[in-house]
Amino acid sequence: MSADKLRERIDSMVSHVIFSYQGQDCGVDPLSRDRFDMWCGDKTATVDSIDAVMNTPFFLGLPLKDISQDITDIDW
């Protein structure tokens, strides 16, 4: 999936996106326009924008925009 499509989907959603990355259960929950919870394995973070969701090196040290083609088991 392209990073742009993934970003658009997360930004327009009311509920979470769950996926696997390198054997880890990960996800993003857009709680509001300025609060997004992210998790990967046991690690969690909260960021304040869709830009931060896509660009923060959070998912095993990489930003979501860079791993979007490698995620599997996407559930929305």
Side-chain angles (χ1 to χ4, degrees):
M1 168 175 299
S2 75
D4 288 339
K5 182 163 178 66
L6 187 58
R7 175 194 171 109
E8 177 184 312
R9 187 73 174 158
I10 293 168
D11 195 33
S12 70
M13 291 189 54
V14 177
S15 188
H16 57 260
V17 174
I18 300 171
F19 55 90
S20 294
Y21 177 63
Q22 292 190 359
Q24 298 288 314
D25 292 329
C26 304
V28 177
D29 195 356
L31 301 171
S32 68
R33 288 282 175 208
D34 62 355
R35 182 172 176 191
F36 298 80
D37 286 349
M38 304 187 299
W39 66 93
C40 191
D42 293 333
K43 187 176 174 186
T44 62
T46 300
V47 295
D48 63 2
S49 70
I50 187 64
D51 287 332
V53 169
M54 298 305 295
N55 295 302
T56 301
F58 175 76
F59 299 95
L60 302 181
L62 296 170
L64 188 54
K65 69 177 184 171
D66 290 350
I67 66 166
S68 64
Q69 297 296 324
D70 300 321
I71 63 176
T72 60
D73 303 321
I74 302 169
D75 179 17
W76 18 54

